[in-house]
Amino acid sequence: MEKIVTIDGRQVKFKSTGAFLLRYKAQFGRDALQDIFKLLNAIDTKTNEIKNIEALDLEVFYNLVWTLAKT
């Protein structure tokens, strides 16, 4: 899946493939799916509101975004 997002006036392509999981693991030494579920536990998916601020780890979010941009 590909998505182009405009960040600070620049278009950045995010791409998710099977290699995304491998690249994330190689770069950060953690499992991407576990980190994604950790973020999902912090957010109420029905209202898109933060339900657990302690579980919201922005470093995980930044790592996911970085990996998607590099894939």
Side-chain angles (χ1 to χ4, degrees):
M1 181 176 99
E2 288 185 24
K3 178 78 175 175
I4 297 176
V5 178
T6 303
I7 300 174
D8 197 28
R10 286 183 40 207
Q11 290 190 334
V12 180
K13 185 188 333 182
F14 288 175
K15 186 175 182 180
S16 178
T17 65
F20 161 77
L21 298 173
L22 297 173
R23 182 175 286 204
Y24 188 90
K25 177 82 169 187
Q27 183 68 32
F28 302 109
R30 295 193 312 258
D31 182 47
L33 293 178
Q34 288 179 349
D35 286 349
I36 289 169
F37 282 112
K38 186 189 311 182
L39 288 177
L40 283 175
N41 288 332
I43 299 171
D44 184 351
T45 55
K46 292 180 182 166
T47 62
N48 292 328
E49 294 178 357
I50 297 172
K51 65 180 181 181
N52 185 358
I53 193 73
E54 290 84 21
L56 184 63
D57 186 355
L58 290 181
E59 181 181 356
V60 170
F61 176 75
Y62 295 143
N63 291 346
L64 289 167
V65 170
W66 182 89
T67 309
L68 287 168
K70 290 293 182 180
T71 299

